[in-house]
Amino acid sequence: MTVQTPSPHPNPSGVPEQIAFDRSELGVILSLYGRAVAAGEWRDYGMSFLRDVAVFSIFRRAAEVPIYRIEKRPALRSKQGQYAVIGQQGQVLRRGHDLRQVLRVLERKLIRAVE
């Protein structure tokens, strides 16, 4: 009797089953988040990893709707840029190819709040 190890089913489309932030992207996001928490502006966060988008949601309080969403949509990589910051009402505050540049819109708001 021979024992065969099961092989995982290959993903036929080649598209990942879920989109996620990598370690360096999370480091940039959490650095900004930590500064905002220290300033008393933000209190909680949530992350969602879906088939076509990864979302980092920022909350002022845990029981509210997110005040900002940082989204990663790789399908838009060659068009508008895969990163976006979206406001509470659903407006796109900034979109681009470089996460640090896109997050500057939130850093400016944080600097104003501290002063």
Side-chain angles (χ1 to χ4, degrees):
M1 181 168 158
T2 60
V3 177
Q4 293 180 334
T5 58
S7 61
H9 295 284
N11 191 351
S13 66
V15 178
E17 291 186 18
Q18 70 180 17
I19 304 300
F21 294 105
D22 64 26
R23 183 177 219 139
S24 64
E25 294 166 338
L26 275 177
V28 171
I29 293 170
L30 289 174
S31 173
L32 172 65
Y33 176 79
R35 285 180 282 156
V37 168
E41 290 296 311
W42 300 343
R43 302 271 168 100
D44 201 7
Y45 72 91
M47 290 189 281
S48 302
F49 304 112
L50 307 173
R51 183 175 296 264
D52 58 342
V53 62
V55 182
F56 187 94
S57 302
I58 300 166
F59 299 89
R60 192 175 309 270
R61 290 176 192 82
E64 294 182 349
V65 295
I67 55 174
Y68 300 110
R69 290 188 334 257
I70 302 167
E71 293 187 353
K72 176 183 178 180
R73 292 182 183 266
L76 298 177
R77 180 181 302 138
S78 62
K79 298 176 185 174
Q80 306 165 350
Q82 67 179 342
Y83 302 108
V85 174
I86 300 173
Q88 190 170 7
Q89 306 299 323
Q91 70 276 23
V92 177
L93 302 177
R94 190 139 186 203
R95 182 181 298 278
H97 298 281
D98 182 24
L99 181 60
R100 291 182 193 274
Q101 294 295 324
V102 171
L103 292 180
R104 279 191 171 172
V105 69
L106 296 179
E107 289 179 4
R108 288 184 188 138
K109 292 176 187 267
L110 180 61
I111 290 171
R112 282 188 221 140
V114 173
E115 293 178 344

